[in-house]
Coordinates of all heavy atoms in Angstrom, one line a residue:
N1 N -15.3 18.9 -3.1 CA -14.9 19.6 -2.0 C -13.8 19.0 -1.2 O -13.9 17.7 -0.8 CB -16.2 19.8 -1.0 CG -15.9 20.7 0.2 OD1 -14.7 20.8 0.5 ND2 -17.0 21.1 0.8
K2 N -12.6 19.6 -1.2 CA -11.5 18.9 -0.7 C -11.5 18.5 0.9 O -11.0 17.5 1.2 CB -10.2 19.9 -0.9 CG -8.9 19.3 -0.8 CD -8.8 18.2 -1.9 CE -7.4 17.9 -2.2 NZ -7.3 16.9 -3.3
K3 N -12.1 19.5 1.7 CA -12.3 19.1 3.0 C -13.2 17.7 3.2 O -12.7 17.0 4.1 CB -13.0 20.3 3.8 CG -12.2 21.4 4.1 CD -12.9 22.4 4.9 CE -12.0 23.6 5.2 NZ -12.6 24.5 6.2
K4 N -14.2 17.6 2.4 CA -14.9 16.4 2.6 C -14.1 15.2 2.1 O -14.3 14.1 2.7 CB -16.2 16.5 1.7 CG -17.3 17.1 2.3 CD -18.6 17.1 1.4 CE -19.7 17.9 2.1 NZ -20.9 17.9 1.4
E5 N -13.4 15.4 1.0 CA -12.5 14.2 0.6 C -11.5 13.9 1.6 O -11.5 12.6 1.9 CB -11.7 14.7 -0.6 CG -10.9 13.6 -1.2 CD -10.0 14.1 -2.3 OE1 -10.0 15.3 -2.8 OE2 -9.1 13.3 -2.7
I6 N -10.9 14.8 2.3 CA -9.9 14.4 3.3 C -10.6 13.7 4.5 O -10.2 12.8 5.2 CB -9.2 15.7 3.7 CG1 -8.4 16.3 2.6 CG2 -8.2 15.5 5.0 CD1 -7.3 15.4 2.0
Y7 N -11.8 14.3 4.9 CA -12.5 13.8 6.0 C -12.9 12.3 5.7 O -12.6 11.4 6.4 CB -13.8 14.6 6.2 CG -14.8 13.9 7.2 CD1 -14.6 13.9 8.5 CD2 -15.8 13.1 6.8 CE1 -15.4 13.3 9.6 CE2 -16.7 12.5 7.5 CZ -16.5 12.6 8.9 OH -17.3 12.0 9.8
H8 N -13.3 12.0 4.5 CA -13.7 10.5 4.2 C -12.4 9.7 4.1 O -12.6 8.5 4.4 CB -14.5 10.6 2.9 CG -16.0 11.1 3.2 ND1 -17.0 10.5 4.1 CD2 -16.6 12.3 2.7 CE1 -18.0 11.2 4.0 NE2 -17.8 12.2 3.2
L9 N -11.4 10.3 3.6 CA -10.1 9.5 3.5 C -9.7 9.1 5.0 O -9.3 8.1 5.2 CB -9.0 10.2 2.7 CG -9.1 10.3 1.3 CD1 -8.1 11.3 0.8 CD2 -8.9 8.9 0.6
E10 N -9.8 10.1 5.9 CA -9.4 9.8 7.2 C -10.4 8.7 7.8 O -9.8 7.9 8.6 CB -9.5 11.1 8.0 CG -8.4 12.2 7.8 CD -8.5 13.4 8.3 OE1 -9.7 13.8 8.9 OE2 -7.7 14.3 8.4
Q11 N -11.6 8.9 7.6 CA -12.5 7.9 8.2 C -12.2 6.5 7.6 O -12.3 5.6 8.3 CB -13.9 8.3 7.9 CG -14.3 9.6 8.6 CD -14.3 9.4 10.2 OE1 -14.8 8.5 10.7 NE2 -13.7 10.4 10.8
A12 N -12.0 6.4 6.3 CA -11.7 5.1 5.8 C -10.5 4.6 6.2 O -10.3 3.4 6.5 CB -11.7 5.3 4.2
S13 N -9.5 5.5 6.4 CA -8.1 5.0 7.1 C -8.2 4.5 8.4 O -7.7 3.4 8.7 CB -7.1 6.2 7.1 OG -6.9 6.7 5.7
I14 N -9.0 5.2 9.3 CA -9.3 4.7 10.5 C -10.0 3.4 10.5 O -9.6 2.4 11.4 CB -10.2 5.7 11.3 CG1 -9.3 7.0 11.6 CG2 -10.8 5.1 12.6 CD1 -10.3 8.2 12.2
G15 N -10.8 3.1 9.5 CA -11.5 1.8 9.3 C -10.6 0.7 8.7 O -10.9 -0.4 8.6
G16 N -9.4 1.0 8.4 CA -8.4 0.1 7.8 C -8.2 0.0 6.3 O -7.6 -1.0 5.8
H17 N -8.9 0.9 5.7 CA -8.7 0.9 4.2 C -7.3 1.5 3.7 O -7.0 2.6 4.0 CB -9.9 1.7 3.6 CG -10.0 1.5 2.2 ND1 -9.2 2.1 1.1 CD2 -10.9 0.8 1.4 CE1 -9.6 1.8 0.0 NE2 -10.7 0.9 0.1
F18 N -6.5 0.6 3.2 CA -5.1 0.9 3.1 C -5.0 1.9 1.9 O -4.1 2.7 1.7 CB -4.3 -0.4 2.9 CG -4.6 -1.2 1.6 CD1 -4.0 -0.9 0.3 CD2 -5.4 -2.3 1.8 CE1 -4.3 -1.6 -0.8 CE2 -5.7 -3.1 0.7 CZ -5.3 -2.8 -0.5
K19 N -5.8 1.8 0.9 CA -5.7 2.8 -0.3 C -6.0 4.2 0.2 O -5.4 5.1 -0.3 CB -6.6 2.3 -1.4 CG -6.1 1.2 -2.2 CD -4.8 1.6 -2.9 CE -4.4 0.3 -3.7 NZ -3.0 0.6 -4.1
A20 N -7.0 4.4 1.2 CA -7.4 5.6 1.6 C -6.1 6.2 2.4 O -5.8 7.3 2.4 CB -8.6 5.6 2.6
R21 N -5.4 5.3 3.1 CA -4.3 5.6 4.0 C -3.2 6.1 3.0 O -2.6 7.1 3.2 CB -3.9 4.4 4.8 CG -2.5 4.7 5.6 CD -2.8 5.6 6.7 NE -3.6 4.9 7.7 CZ -3.8 5.6 8.9 NH1 -3.4 6.7 9.2 NH2 -4.7 4.9 9.8
H22 N -3.0 5.3 1.9 CA -2.0 5.8 0.9 C -2.4 7.1 0.3 O -1.5 7.9 0.1 CB -2.0 4.7 -0.3 CG -1.1 5.1 -1.5 ND1 0.3 4.9 -1.4 CD2 -1.4 5.7 -2.6 CE1 0.8 5.3 -2.6 NE2 -0.2 5.8 -3.2
N23 N -3.6 7.3 0.0 CA -4.1 8.6 -0.6 C -3.9 9.8 0.3 O -3.6 10.9 -0.1 CB -5.4 8.6 -1.1 CG -5.6 7.7 -2.4 OD1 -4.6 7.4 -3.0 ND2 -6.9 7.1 -2.7
L24 N -4.1 9.5 1.7 CA -3.8 10.5 2.7 C -2.4 10.9 2.6 O -2.0 12.0 2.8 CB -4.2 10.0 4.0 CG -5.7 10.3 4.5 CD1 -5.8 9.6 5.8 CD2 -6.0 11.7 4.6
G25 N -1.5 10.0 2.5 CA 0.0 10.2 2.3 C 0.2 11.1 1.1 O 1.1 12.1 1.2
V26 N -0.4 10.7 0.0 CA -0.3 11.6 -1.1 C -0.5 13.1 -0.8 O 0.1 14.1 -1.1 CB -1.1 11.1 -2.4 CG1 -1.0 11.9 -3.6 CG2 -0.4 9.8 -2.7
E27 N -1.8 13.2 -0.1 CA -2.2 14.6 0.2 C -1.4 15.4 1.1 O -0.9 16.5 0.8 CB -3.6 14.5 0.9 CG -4.8 14.1 0.0 CD -5.1 15.2 -1.1 OE1 -4.9 16.4 -0.9 OE2 -5.5 14.8 -2.2
E28 N -0.9 14.6 2.0 CA 0.2 15.2 3.0 C 1.5 15.6 2.3 O 2.0 16.7 2.5 CB 0.4 14.3 4.1 CG -0.6 14.0 5.1 CD -1.1 15.1 5.9 OE1 -0.5 16.3 5.8 OE2 -2.0 14.9 6.8
F29 N 1.9 14.7 1.4 CA 3.1 15.0 0.6 C 2.9 16.3 -0.3 O 3.8 17.1 -0.3 CB 3.5 13.9 -0.3 CG 4.9 14.0 -1.0 CD1 6.0 13.7 -0.3 CD2 4.9 14.3 -2.2 CE1 7.3 13.8 -0.8 CE2 6.1 14.5 -2.9 CZ 7.3 14.2 -2.2
Q30 N 1.8 16.4 -1.0 CA 1.6 17.7 -1.8 C 1.4 18.8 -1.0 O 1.7 19.8 -1.5 CB 0.3 17.3 -2.6 CG 0.4 16.2 -3.6 CD -1.0 15.9 -4.4 OE1 -2.0 16.3 -3.9 NE2 -0.7 15.2 -5.5
N31 N 1.1 18.7 0.3 CA 0.9 19.9 1.2 C 2.3 20.1 1.9 O 2.3 21.0 2.9 CB -0.2 19.8 2.1 CG -1.5 19.9 1.4 OD1 -1.7 20.7 0.5 ND2 -2.5 19.0 1.9
G32 N 3.3 19.4 1.5 CA 4.6 19.7 2.1 C 4.9 19.0 3.6 O 5.9 19.3 4.1
R33 N 3.9 18.2 4.0 CA 4.1 17.6 5.3 C 4.7 16.1 5.0 O 4.0 15.1 5.1 CB 2.8 17.5 6.0 CG 2.3 18.9 6.4 CD 1.1 18.8 7.3 NE -0.1 18.5 6.5 CZ -1.0 19.3 5.9 NH1 -0.7 20.6 6.0 NH2 -1.9 18.9 5.3
I34 N 6.0 16.1 4.7 CA 6.7 14.8 4.3 C 6.6 13.8 5.5 O 6.3 12.6 5.1 CB 8.1 15.2 3.9 CG1 8.2 16.2 2.8 CG2 8.8 13.9 3.3 CD1 7.4 16.0 1.6
D35 N 6.9 14.3 6.6 CA 6.9 13.3 7.7 C 5.6 12.5 7.9 O 5.7 11.4 8.1 CB 7.4 13.9 9.0 CG 8.9 14.4 8.9 OD1 9.7 13.8 8.2 OD2 9.3 15.2 9.9
R36 N 4.6 13.4 7.8 CA 3.3 12.7 7.9 C 2.9 11.8 6.8 O 2.3 10.8 7.0 CB 2.2 13.8 8.1 CG 2.2 14.6 9.4 CD 1.1 15.5 9.6 NE -0.2 14.9 9.5 CZ -1.2 15.2 10.1 NH1 -1.3 16.5 10.7 NH2 -2.3 14.6 10.0
A37 N 3.3 12.2 5.6 CA 3.1 11.4 4.5 C 3.7 10.1 4.6 O 3.1 9.0 4.3 CB 3.5 12.1 3.1
V38 N 5.0 10.1 5.0 CA 5.8 8.9 5.2 C 5.1 7.9 6.2 O 5.0 6.8 6.0 CB 7.3 9.2 5.5 CG1 8.0 7.9 6.0 CG2 8.0 9.9 4.3
K39 N 4.6 8.5 7.2 CA 4.0 7.8 8.3 C 2.7 7.0 7.7 O 2.4 5.8 8.0 CB 3.5 8.5 9.5 CG 4.7 8.9 10.3 CD 4.3 9.9 11.5 CE 5.5 10.4 12.2 NZ 5.2 11.3 13.3
H40 N 2.0 7.7 6.9 CA 0.7 7.2 6.3 C 1.1 6.1 5.4 O 0.6 5.0 5.4 CB 0.0 8.2 5.5 CG -0.9 9.1 6.3 ND1 -1.8 8.6 7.2 CD2 -0.8 10.4 6.4 CE1 -2.4 9.7 7.7 NE2 -1.7 10.8 7.3
W41 N 2.2 6.3 4.5 CA 2.6 5.2 3.6 C 3.2 4.0 4.3 O 3.0 2.9 4.0 CB 3.7 5.8 2.7 CG 3.1 6.8 1.6 CD1 1.8 6.7 1.1 CD2 3.7 8.0 1.1 NE1 1.7 7.8 0.3 CE2 2.8 8.5 0.3 CE3 4.9 8.4 1.3 CZ2 3.0 9.6 -0.4 CZ3 5.2 9.7 0.7 CH2 4.3 10.3 -0.2
I42 N 3.9 4.2 5.5 CA 4.5 3.1 6.2 C 3.3 2.3 6.8 O 3.3 1.0 6.7 CB 5.4 3.6 7.3 CG1 6.7 4.1 6.8 CG2 5.7 2.5 8.3 CD1 7.6 4.8 7.9
I43 N 2.3 2.9 7.4 CA 1.1 2.2 7.8 C 0.4 1.4 6.7 O 0.1 0.2 6.9 CB 0.1 3.2 8.5 CG1 0.7 3.7 9.7 CG2 -1.2 2.3 8.8 CD1 0.0 4.9 10.4
A44 N 0.3 2.0 5.5 CA -0.4 1.3 4.4 C 0.5 0.1 3.9 O 0.1 -0.9 3.7 CB -0.6 2.2 3.3
A45 N 1.7 0.3 3.9 CA 2.7 -0.7 3.5 C 2.6 -1.9 4.5 O 2.7 -3.1 4.1 CB 4.1 -0.3 3.5
T46 N 2.5 -1.6 5.7 CA 2.5 -2.7 6.8 C 1.2 -3.6 6.7 O 1.2 -4.7 7.1 CB 2.5 -2.3 8.2 OG1 1.3 -1.3 8.4 CG2 3.8 -1.5 8.4
T47 N 0.2 -3.0 5.8 CA -1.0 -3.8 5.6 C -0.9 -4.7 4.2 O -1.7 -5.3 3.9 CB -2.2 -3.0 5.5 OG1 -2.2 -2.1 4.5 CG2 -2.5 -2.2 6.9
G48 N 0.2 -4.5 3.6 CA 0.5 -5.2 2.3 C 0.4 -4.4 1.1 O 0.2 -4.9 0.0
D49 N 0.2 -3.1 1.2 CA -0.1 -2.3 0.1 C 1.3 -2.1 -0.7 O 2.1 -1.4 -0.2 CB -0.6 -0.9 0.4 CG -0.9 0.0 -0.6 OD1 -1.3 -0.6 -1.7 OD2 -0.8 1.2 -0.5
D50 N 1.3 -2.6 -2.0 CA 2.5 -2.5 -2.8 C 2.8 -1.1 -3.3 O 4.0 -0.7 -3.2 CB 2.3 -3.4 -4.1 CG 2.2 -4.8 -3.7 OD1 2.8 -5.2 -2.7 OD2 1.6 -5.6 -4.5
A51 N 1.8 -0.3 -3.5 CA 2.0 1.1 -4.0 C 2.7 1.9 -3.0 O 3.5 2.7 -3.3 CB 0.7 1.7 -4.4
S52 N 2.3 1.8 -1.6 CA 2.9 2.4 -0.6 C 4.3 2.1 -0.3 O 5.2 2.9 -0.2 CB 2.1 2.3 0.6 OG 0.9 3.0 0.6
L53 N 4.5 0.8 -0.5 CA 6.0 0.3 -0.3 C 6.9 0.9 -1.4 O 8.0 1.2 -1.3 CB 6.0 -1.2 -0.4 CG 7.4 -1.8 -0.1 CD1 7.9 -1.5 1.2 CD2 7.3 -3.3 -0.4
D54 N 6.3 1.0 -2.8 CA 7.0 1.6 -3.8 C 7.3 3.0 -3.5 O 8.5 3.4 -3.8 CB 6.3 1.5 -5.1 CG 6.2 0.0 -5.5 OD1 7.0 -0.8 -5.2 OD2 5.3 -0.3 -6.4
V55 N 6.5 3.8 -3.0 CA 6.7 5.1 -2.7 C 7.8 5.2 -1.6 O 8.7 6.1 -1.7 CB 5.4 5.9 -2.1 CG1 5.6 7.3 -1.7 CG2 4.5 5.9 -3.3
I56 N 7.8 4.4 -0.7 CA 8.7 4.4 0.5 C 10.1 4.1 0.0 O 11.1 4.7 0.2 CB 8.3 3.4 1.5 CG1 7.1 3.9 2.3 CG2 9.4 3.2 2.5 CD1 6.4 2.9 3.1
K57 N 10.2 3.2 -0.9 CA 11.3 2.8 -1.6 C 12.0 4.0 -2.4 O 13.1 4.3 -2.4 CB 11.2 1.5 -2.6 CG 12.4 1.1 -3.1 CD 12.2 -0.4 -3.7 CE 11.9 -0.3 -5.2 NZ 11.7 -1.6 -5.8
R58 N 11.2 4.6 -3.2 CA 11.6 5.8 -3.9 C 12.1 6.9 -3.0 O 13.0 7.6 -3.2 CB 10.6 6.3 -4.9 CG 10.4 5.4 -6.2 CD 9.4 6.1 -7.2 NE 8.1 5.7 -6.5 CZ 7.0 6.2 -7.0 NH1 6.8 7.0 -7.9 NH2 5.8 5.8 -6.3
G59 N 11.3 7.0 -1.9 CA 11.6 8.1 -0.9 C 13.1 7.7 -0.3 O 13.8 8.7 0.0
Y60 N 13.2 6.5 0.0 CA 14.5 6.2 0.4 C 15.6 6.4 -0.5 O 16.7 7.1 -0.1 CB 14.6 4.8 0.8 CG 16.0 4.3 1.2 CD1 16.5 4.7 2.5 CD2 16.6 3.4 0.6 CE1 17.8 4.2 3.0 CE2 18.0 2.8 0.9 CZ 18.5 3.4 2.1 OH 19.7 2.9 2.5
G61 N 15.5 6.2 -1.7 CA 16.4 6.6 -2.7 C 16.6 8.1 -2.9 O 17.7 8.6 -3.2
Q62 N 15.5 8.9 -2.7 CA 15.7 10.3 -2.8 C 16.0 11.0 -1.5 O 16.3 12.2 -1.5 CB 14.3 10.8 -3.3 CG 14.0 10.4 -4.7 CD 12.5 10.8 -5.2 OE1 11.8 11.6 -4.4 NE2 12.1 10.4 -6.3
G63 N 16.1 10.2 -0.4 CA 16.5 10.7 0.8 C 15.6 11.4 1.8 O 16.0 11.8 2.9
F64 N 14.2 11.2 1.5 CA 13.2 11.8 2.5 C 12.7 10.6 3.3 O 11.8 10.7 4.2 CB 12.1 12.5 1.9 CG 11.2 12.0 0.8 CD1 10.1 11.2 1.3 CD2 11.5 11.9 -0.5 CE1 9.3 10.6 0.4 CE2 10.8 11.5 -1.4 CZ 9.6 10.6 -0.9
V65 N 13.1 9.3 3.2 CA 12.8 8.2 4.1 C 14.1 7.6 4.5 O 15.1 7.4 3.8 CB 11.9 7.1 3.3 CG1 11.7 5.9 4.1 CG2 10.6 7.7 2.7
G66 N 14.2 7.4 6.0 CA 15.4 6.9 6.5 C 15.5 5.5 6.3 O 14.5 4.7 5.8
K67 N 16.7 4.9 6.4 CA 17.0 3.5 6.3 C 16.2 2.6 7.2 O 15.7 1.6 6.7 CB 18.5 3.3 6.4 CG 19.0 1.9 6.2 CD 20.5 1.8 6.4 CE 21.0 0.4 6.1 NZ 22.5 0.4 6.2
E68 N 16.1 3.1 8.4 CA 15.4 2.3 9.5 C 13.9 2.1 9.2 O 13.3 1.1 9.2 CB 15.5 2.8 10.8 CG 17.0 2.9 11.3 CD 17.7 4.2 10.7 OE1 17.1 5.2 10.5 OE2 19.0 4.0 10.7
D69 N 13.3 3.3 8.7 CA 11.9 3.3 8.3 C 11.7 2.4 7.0 O 10.7 1.7 7.0 CB 11.5 4.7 8.0 CG 11.2 5.6 9.2 OD1 11.1 4.9 10.2 OD2 11.3 6.8 9.0
Y70 N 12.6 2.5 6.1 CA 12.4 1.6 4.9 C 12.6 0.2 5.2 O 11.8 -0.6 4.8 CB 13.6 2.1 3.9 CG 13.5 1.2 2.7 CD1 12.3 1.0 1.9 CD2 14.7 0.5 2.1 CE1 12.3 0.1 0.8 CE2 14.7 -0.2 0.9 CZ 13.4 -0.4 0.4 OH 13.5 -1.3 -0.8
A71 N 13.6 -0.2 6.1 CA 13.8 -1.6 6.4 C 12.5 -2.1 7.3 O 12.0 -3.2 7.0 CB 15.0 -1.7 7.2
A72 N 12.1 -1.3 8.1 CA 10.9 -1.7 9.0 C 9.7 -1.9 8.1 O 9.0 -2.9 8.3 CB 10.7 -0.7 10.0
A73 N 9.4 -1.0 7.2 CA 8.3 -1.0 6.3 C 8.4 -2.3 5.4 O 7.4 -3.0 5.1 CB 8.2 0.1 5.4
L74 N 9.6 -2.6 4.9 CA 9.9 -3.8 4.1 C 9.6 -5.0 4.8 O 8.9 -5.9 4.3 CB 11.2 -3.7 3.5 CG 11.7 -4.6 2.4 CD1 10.7 -4.5 1.1 CD2 13.1 -4.5 2.0
R75 N 10.0 -5.1 6.0 CA 9.7 -6.3 6.9 C 8.3 -6.5 7.1 O 7.7 -7.6 7.0 CB 10.6 -6.3 8.1 CG 12.1 -6.5 7.9 CD 12.7 -6.7 9.3 NE 12.6 -5.6 10.3 CZ 13.4 -4.6 10.2 NH1 14.4 -4.5 9.4 NH2 13.2 -3.6 11.0
A76 N 7.6 -5.4 7.6 CA 6.2 -5.5 7.9 C 5.4 -5.8 6.6 O 4.4 -6.6 6.6 CB 5.8 -4.2 8.6
H77 N 5.7 -5.3 5.5 CA 5.1 -5.6 4.2 C 5.1 -7.1 3.8 O 4.2 -7.7 3.7 CB 5.6 -4.7 3.1 CG 5.0 -5.1 1.8 ND1 5.4 -6.0 0.9 CD2 3.9 -4.5 1.2 CE1 4.6 -5.9 -0.1 NE2 3.6 -5.0 -0.1
Q78 N 6.4 -7.6 4.0 CA 6.6 -9.0 3.7 C 5.8 -9.8 4.7 O 5.3 -10.9 4.2 CB 8.0 -9.4 3.7 CG 8.3 -10.6 3.2 CD 7.9 -11.0 1.8 OE1 8.3 -10.1 0.9 NE2 7.2 -12.0 1.6
A79 N 5.7 -9.4 5.9 CA 5.0 -10.3 6.9 C 3.5 -10.3 6.6 O 2.9 -11.3 6.6 CB 5.3 -9.7 8.3
A80 N 2.9 -9.1 6.1 CA 1.6 -9.0 5.9 C 1.3 -9.9 4.6 O 0.2 -10.5 4.4 CB 1.2 -7.6 5.5
V81 N 2.2 -9.9 3.6 CA 2.0 -10.7 2.4 C 2.0 -12.1 2.8 O 1.2 -13.0 2.3 CB 3.1 -10.3 1.3 CG1 3.0 -11.3 0.2 CG2 2.8 -8.9 0.8
N82 N 3.0 -12.5 3.5 CA 3.1 -13.9 3.9 C 1.8 -14.4 4.7 O 1.4 -15.6 4.6 CB 4.4 -14.2 4.9 CG 5.6 -14.0 4.0 OD1 5.5 -14.3 2.8 ND2 6.7 -13.8 4.7
E83 N 1.2 -13.5 5.5 CA 0.0 -13.8 6.3 C -1.1 -14.2 5.2 O -2.1 -15.0 5.8 CB -0.5 -12.7 7.2 CG 0.4 -12.6 8.4 CD 0.0 -11.5 9.3 OE1 -1.2 -11.1 9.2 OE2 0.8 -11.0 10.2
T84 N -1.1 -13.7 4.2 CA -2.3 -14.0 3.2 C -2.1 -15.2 2.5 O -3.0 -15.5 1.6 CB -2.5 -12.8 2.3 OG1 -1.4 -12.5 1.4 CG2 -2.8 -11.5 3.2
K85 N -0.9 -15.8 2.5 CA -0.7 -17.0 1.8 C -1.3 -18.3 2.5 O -1.3 -18.3 3.7 CB 0.9 -17.3 1.6 CG 1.4 -16.2 0.7 CD 2.9 -16.6 0.5 CE 3.5 -15.5 -0.5 NZ 5.0 -15.8 -0.8
S86 N -1.9 -19.1 1.7 CA -2.4 -20.4 2.2 C -2.4 -21.3 1.0 O -2.4 -21.0 -0.1 CB -3.8 -20.2 2.7 OG -4.8 -19.9 1.6
P87 N -2.4 -22.7 1.4 CA -2.5 -23.7 0.3 C -3.7 -23.5 -0.5 O -3.7 -23.8 -1.8 CB -2.6 -25.0 1.2 CG -2.1 -24.6 2.7 CD -2.4 -23.3 2.8
Q88 N -4.9 -23.0 0.1 CA -6.1 -23.0 -0.8 C -5.9 -21.8 -1.9 O -6.2 -21.9 -3.0 CB -7.3 -22.7 0.1 CG -7.7 -23.8 0.9 CD -6.9 -23.7 2.4 OE1 -6.1 -23.0 2.5 NE2 -7.3 -24.7 3.1
R89 N -5.2 -20.7 -1.4 CA -5.0 -19.7 -2.4 C -4.1 -20.0 -3.4 O -4.1 -19.7 -4.6 CB -4.5 -18.5 -1.5 CG -5.6 -17.7 -0.7 CD -4.9 -16.5 -0.1 NE -5.9 -15.8 0.6 CZ -6.2 -14.6 0.7 NH1 -5.5 -13.7 0.0 NH2 -7.1 -14.1 1.6
E90 N -3.0 -20.7 -3.0 CA -2.0 -21.2 -4.1 C -2.7 -22.2 -5.0 O -2.3 -22.1 -6.3 CB -0.9 -21.9 -3.4 CG 0.0 -21.0 -2.4 CD 0.6 -19.7 -3.2 OE1 1.0 -20.0 -4.3 OE2 0.6 -18.7 -2.7
A91 N -3.5 -23.0 -4.6 CA -4.3 -24.0 -5.5 C -5.1 -23.3 -6.4 O -5.3 -23.5 -7.6 CB -5.0 -25.0 -4.6
A92 N -5.8 -22.2 -5.8 CA -6.7 -21.3 -6.7 C -5.9 -20.7 -7.8 O -6.4 -20.5 -8.9 CB -7.6 -20.4 -5.9
K93 N -4.8 -20.1 -7.4 CA -4.0 -19.5 -8.3 C -3.6 -20.3 -9.5 O -3.5 -20.0 -10.6 CB -2.6 -18.9 -7.6 CG -1.9 -17.8 -8.4 CD -0.5 -17.5 -7.9 CE -0.8 -16.8 -6.6 NZ 0.5 -16.2 -6.0
V94 N -3.1 -21.6 -9.2 CA -2.8 -22.6 -10.2 C -4.0 -22.9 -11.1 O -3.8 -22.9 -12.3 CB -2.3 -23.9 -9.6 CG1 -2.1 -25.1 -10.6 CG2 -1.0 -23.6 -8.8
D95 N -5.1 -23.1 -10.5 CA -6.4 -23.4 -11.2 C -6.8 -22.2 -12.2 O -7.0 -22.4 -13.3 CB -7.5 -23.7 -10.3 CG -7.4 -25.1 -9.6 OD1 -6.6 -25.8 -10.1 OD2 -8.1 -25.2 -8.6
L96 N -6.5 -21.0 -11.7 CA -6.8 -19.9 -12.5 C -5.9 -19.7 -13.7 O -6.4 -19.4 -14.9 CB -6.7 -18.6 -11.7 CG -7.0 -17.2 -12.4 CD1 -8.4 -17.2 -12.9 CD2 -6.8 -16.1 -11.5
Q97 N -4.6 -20.1 -13.6 CA -3.6 -20.1 -14.5 C -4.0 -21.2 -15.6 O -3.9 -21.0 -16.8 CB -2.2 -20.3 -14.1 CG -1.6 -19.2 -13.4 CD -1.5 -17.9 -14.1 OE1 -1.2 -18.0 -15.4 NE2 -1.8 -16.8 -13.6
K98 N -4.5 -22.3 -15.1 CA -4.9 -23.3 -16.2 C -6.0 -22.9 -16.9 O -6.3 -23.2 -18.1 CB -5.3 -24.6 -15.3 CG -4.1 -25.4 -14.8 CD -4.6 -26.6 -14.0 CE -3.4 -27.2 -13.3 NZ -3.9 -28.5 -12.5
L99 N -7.1 -22.1 -16.3 CA -8.1 -21.7 -17.0 C -7.7 -20.6 -18.1 O -8.3 -20.7 -19.2 CB -9.2 -21.0 -16.1 CG -10.0 -21.9 -15.4 CD1 -10.9 -21.1 -14.3 CD2 -11.0 -22.7 -16.3
K100 N -6.8 -19.8 -17.8 CA -6.3 -18.8 -18.7 C -5.6 -19.4 -20.0 O -6.0 -19.0 -21.0 CB -5.4 -17.8 -18.0 CG -6.1 -16.9 -17.1 CD -5.0 -16.0 -16.5 CE -5.7 -15.0 -15.4 NZ -4.9 -14.1 -14.8
V101 N -4.8 -20.5 -19.7 CA -4.2 -21.1 -20.7 C -5.3 -21.9 -21.6 O -5.2 -21.9 -22.8 CB -3.2 -22.2 -20.1 CG1 -2.6 -23.2 -21.2 CG2 -2.0 -21.6 -19.4
A102 N -6.3 -22.6 -21.0 CA -7.3 -23.3 -21.8 C -8.1 -22.3 -22.6 O -8.4 -22.6 -23.8 CB -8.2 -24.0 -20.8
R103 N -8.3 -21.1 -22.0 CA -9.0 -20.1 -22.9 C -8.3 -19.5 -24.1 O -8.8 -19.3 -25.2 CB -9.4 -18.9 -22.1 CG -10.6 -19.2 -21.1 CD -10.9 -17.9 -20.4 NE -12.0 -18.2 -19.4 CZ -12.4 -17.5 -18.4 NH1 -11.8 -16.2 -18.3 NH2 -13.2 -17.8 -17.6
T104 N -7.0 -19.5 -24.0 CA -6.2 -19.0 -25.0 C -5.9 -20.0 -26.2 O -5.6 -19.8 -27.1 CB -4.8 -18.4 -24.6 OG1 -4.1 -19.5 -23.9 CG2 -4.9 -17.2 -23.7
A105 N -6.1 -21.3 -25.7 CA -5.9 -22.4 -26.6 C -7.0 -22.6 -27.6 O -6.8 -23.0 -28.8 CB -5.9 -23.7 -25.9
Y106 N -8.2 -21.9 -27.4 CA -9.3 -21.9 -28.4 C -9.1 -20.9 -29.4 O -8.9 -19.8 -29.5 CB -10.7 -21.9 -27.7 CG -10.9 -23.1 -26.8 CD1 -10.9 -23.0 -25.4 CD2 -11.3 -24.2 -27.4 CE1 -11.1 -24.1 -24.6 CE2 -11.5 -25.4 -26.6 CZ -11.5 -25.2 -25.2 OH -11.6 -26.3 -24.4

């Protein structure tokens, strides 16, 4: 049921689920509400969602996303990504790479 799907996507978006926000953008786009779709993707991109940023980038190239919106989304996305960086995460990433290399050596 499409109405239920939209309802639950909206509820998840309100709760901060960025993939639900991205999917709402897709629904809005498919229904011809481009401005609303772009707003959803911008919000999702500001939480660090790469897929939404990619859609915004393509939209800028195709002309349905303005230069200011694209630039703002790009800055906000980068800020969100930078917030998730920490020395512990970087160390864990290095350790994970070492494990992968060790597994392939056998």
